[in-house]
Amino acid sequence: DLGAAHFLALQAGLVLLYPPAKTLSRLHILMQKCLAATTKVFEMMEREPAIKDAADAVELDGVQGGIAFEKVSFAYGKRADAVTDVDFSIEQGKSYALVGQSGAGKSTLFSLLLRFYEPREGRVTVNGIDVRKIKQHSLRDHIGVVNQDIFLFHDSIYENIRYGRLDATREEIENAARLAHAHDFITEQDKGYDTKVGDKGCQLSGGQQQRISIARAILRDAPILLLDEATSALDSEAEKHIQAALEELSKGKTTIAIAHRLSTILNADQIVVMDKGRVCEVGTHAKLMETSDIYRRLYIM
Ligand code: ADP
């Protein structure tokens, strides 16, 4: 069993794993089905942070004021710009879908919002506050990340969901699982919630693992949700459950999705079209179909 300090470290670690996981998938290294991520998390926690809190950094208190990218440009090291002059704002409580070809800069925007990197020019704000002036733990406490690489631990399904919030009761954990469309398949397992993930070669399907990680995020209940959708298609039944689970999860939250599923794009309040590091257009599906060649092309694809 994990103590409270380890638990908090794990929680932060799950968010910290976003950029390295992205890098791994970029290198086309197949992630193991049930990744035992614990060691990696602790290694990361012990590293000296490259980005430190400013002396006058503040705590966030909710996200009533939304998010803004204000003329943001950024390059990885000495490479060409990954994003250039990105300027758009995100209203609190609304959902946004980022669309664009691979390499367009979508996940870089996530990393900048999470402040894994800092813009060369411009700024990223939450509630109108530059993220460089927000305490990192507070910023990341307000942001939930659900991505295609699922981090389940070699522990019971129950504990895997509880990683979302340390003080959750059994009832809250089961409720989160129900909302994530996971309760039924969990209770069908040999030992129900006490079944260990990864035992006997990990009998959970990819879609089921994803729903466990969504249950964890529902329990965590961070007001900003970053969703990095899988490019690989699941069967339509799995897809339907995940879609419903994600709808539950995003209720009342400010959601930004790197969207590959058509349903996510069509359900978004606003679609942000990116190309070669720039935001070309922001609008609804109906509007973009009329005004954006790039969007029409992506849509047909
Ligand atoms: P998308 O998410 O739309 O596929 P990315 O934000 O991942 O796009 O990539 C934008 C650009 O930045 C691409 O040219 C990509 O090769 C580059 N890039 C992304 N991550 C890294 C990294 N960690 N190091 C160096 N270059 C990167």
Side-chain angles (χ1 to χ4, degrees), residues 22-23 26 76 79 82 101-108 117 258:
K22 264 318 241 204
T23 308
R26 210 179 306 278
Y76 293 93
R79 296 170 50 123
Q101 290 186 334
S102 168
K106 303 179 295 294
S107 30
T108 299
Y117 304 100
I258 295 177

Side-chain angles (χ1 to χ4, degrees), residues 11 29 36 38 42 49 63 91 115 120 125 143 195 205 222 232 249 256 269:
Q11 242 178 40
I29 293 173
T38 325
F42 289 125
V63 285
E91 268 182 69
R115 204 176 155 219
R120 184 189 69 234
T125 66
I143 305 179
T195 307
S205 71
S232 53
L249 172 61
I256 315 175
D269 293 310

Side-chain angles (χ1 to χ4, degrees), residues 80-144:
D81 271 2
V83 293
T84 306
D85 215 17
V86 167
D87 196 84
F88 71 102
S89 48
I90 288 168
E91 268 182 69
Q92 190 266 327
K94 294 257 156 72
S95 62
Y96 292 74
L98 302 180
V99 300
Q101 290 186 334
S102 168
K106 303 179 295 294
S107 30
T108 299
L109 293 188
F110 278 13
S111 291
L112 289 166
L113 174 58
L114 289 159
R115 204 176 155 219
F116 292 124
Y117 304 100
E118 296 186 343
R120 184 189 69 234
E121 276 171 53
R123 55 181 210 148
V124 183
T125 66
V126 176
N127 287 352
I129 309 167
D130 191 325
V131 294
R132 284 171 291 207
K133 288 279 147 70
I134 299 170
K135 287 187 178 159
Q136 290 173 77
H137 82 87
S138 175
L139 176 69
R140 290 171 196 159
D141 271 357
H142 283 73
I143 305 179

